[in-house]
Amino acid sequence: MPSPAKSPDIVCIGEPLFELNQAKGDVVFRPGHGGDTSNCAIAAARQGASVGYVTAIGTDNFGQSFLDLWKQEGVDTSAVKRDGTAPTGIYFVTHGPEGHVFSYRRAGSAASRMTPEELPGDYIRGAKVIHTSGISQAISSQAADFVFAAMRAAKEAGKLVSYDTNLRLRLWPIDRARAVIHAAAGLADILKTSSDDAFELTGEKDADKIADFYLGLGPKIVIVTMGPDGALVATAEKRMVIPAIRVKPVDATGAGDTFDGAFLTEYLRSADPFAAARYANAAAGLATEGYGAVAPMPTRNAVEAALAERR
């Protein structure tokens, strides 16, 4: 990895994916950008946070488009590696009766080749919080080890670790996913899961039982998102369901990632997980009102206006 500059407050770790998104009824795939932790970084930057990204990209045009995007969005790229021997991953989004459907072309991507020996340790230890996910670990066994090394480095430095389960069973079998994700949960301070993910991972459908399960693994804050039913936020002392705001959704791509970025930004500002989740729920809701992962992500002004108007 390159020698990065001074660390931003939030450092996200994972794989960016160039996006080709086909709107309902359309025959054209529109270009865009995705990848859950890249989305999180951009969402946080749009809320005014200081954010950086740790990843590897190809020297192809897709990789260059990400560098251009991150620069435009104010995401620090000093810890981004360019790999001339591997491609940047891509994915396609189509929309069917059950919602959006993902098709990936990411095998052997530059990000999947990252190894623990390449970890920019000082950059990780200098952040206030690092954020990563199950997808970041699912893309290869060495990427999983890279993420574990980053989480341990942050923990040893006394920094916060945020983790989103983001289960993708097309990427790995459920038994391996459970083992890795739950080991990662044990290193996390903040864990977000969805009710759908958690059912696959724990067998529980009840949000309170899901929260109990993950609090038992070690995180201080557990968030269970429940789509239009809002999000349960739980700590050892308190729990609360944060209702969703009224929206007119057309595409949920990137909504959970927007939640992550908005939550971390607000949590660093307020140290109040319930206020941060209320803010993040609004941001995630707004992100469903347009197509693609990045384009509809709201700015801080839009989120604050929605919180004031859409109660």
Side-chain angles (χ1 to χ4, degrees):
M1 302 294 284
S3 297
K6 180 181 180 295
S7 305
D9 291 344
I10 300 171
V11 169
C12 299
I13 303 165
E15 179 181 41
L17 290 169
F18 192 81
E19 175 187 274
L20 292 162
N21 197 313
Q22 185 181 57
K24 288 181 182 177
D26 204 343
V27 296
V28 175
F29 283 88
R30 304 184 186 282
H33 299 87
D36 62 335
T37 52
S38 175
N39 295 341
C40 173
I42 293 167
R46 289 192 184 178
Q47 310 318 307
S50 163
V51 193
Y53 198 42
V54 175
T55 190
I57 55 175
T59 54
D60 47 35
N61 289 340
F62 297 139
Q64 183 59 51
S65 72
F66 271 106
L67 291 175
D68 295 340
L69 172 71
W70 293 325
K71 180 179 180 180
Q72 175 185 327
E73 297 288 346
V75 175
D76 180 69
T77 59
S78 60
V80 173
K81 173 186 175 182
R82 298 210 73 180
D83 186 341
T85 67
T88 306
I90 64 174
Y91 75 111
F92 299 83
V93 185
T94 55
H95 299 269
E98 304 300 318
H100 53 286
V101 178
F102 297 95
S103 300
Y104 298 100
R105 299 294 181 272
R106 73 200 308 175
S109 70
S112 74
R113 298 186 182 192
M114 293 188 295
T115 65
E117 292 74 27
E118 298 176 287
L119 186 75
D122 289 344
Y123 193 71
I124 297 294
R125 289 184 286 268
K128 292 181 179 178
V129 57
I130 68 162
H131 174 78
T132 189
S133 76
I135 293 176
S136 301
Q137 295 191 289
I139 56 177
S140 70
S141 58
Q142 61 198 44
D145 292 342
F146 183 92
V147 168
F148 277 130
M151 297 176 83
R152 291 191 183 99
K155 291 288 282 187
E156 289 165 4
K159 305 306 171 70
L160 292 172
V161 174
S162 167
Y163 189 85
D164 190 322
T165 59
N166 258 358
L167 180 65
R168 296 289 186 273
L169 289 176
R170 290 187 180 187
L171 295 178
W172 52 356
I174 186 62
D175 288 337
R176 175 164 170 77
R178 281 195 193 106
V180 173
I181 287 172
H182 291 166
L187 295 170
D189 299 290
I190 301 165
L191 182 132
K192 181 173 81 69
T193 189
S194 69
S195 52
D196 290 340
D197 277 11
F199 177 68
E200 296 287 350
L201 290 165
T202 71
E204 297 288 356
K205 290 186 176 181
D206 180 79
D208 281 300
K209 291 182 179 179
I210 293 165
D212 290 338
F213 177 90
Y214 282 109
L215 286 170
L217 294 183
K220 306 296 188 295
I221 300 165
V222 171
I223 302 160
V224 184
T225 58
M226 303 177 290
D229 295 325
L232 173 69
V233 183
T235 67
E237 299 79 25
K238 180 180 177 181
R239 61 186 60 189
M240 180 186 302
V241 174
I242 310 296
I245 64 167
R246 291 179 290 107
V247 295
K248 295 179 180 177
V250 296
D251 181 9
T253 306
D257 311 327
T258 300
F259 184 104
D260 289 333
F263 179 89
L264 293 176
T265 303
E266 282 305 289
Y267 186 67
L268 288 181
R269 281 163 52 99
S270 68
D272 180 342
F274 303 97
R278 179 172 177 268
Y279 182 93
N281 240 13
L286 293 176
T288 69
E289 294 191 321
Y291 285 101
V294 171
M297 285 180 182
T299 61
R300 173 169 292 280
N301 287 343
V303 177
E304 290 176 347
L307 283 169
E309 297 166 5
R310 305 192 197 187
R311 296 188 181 278

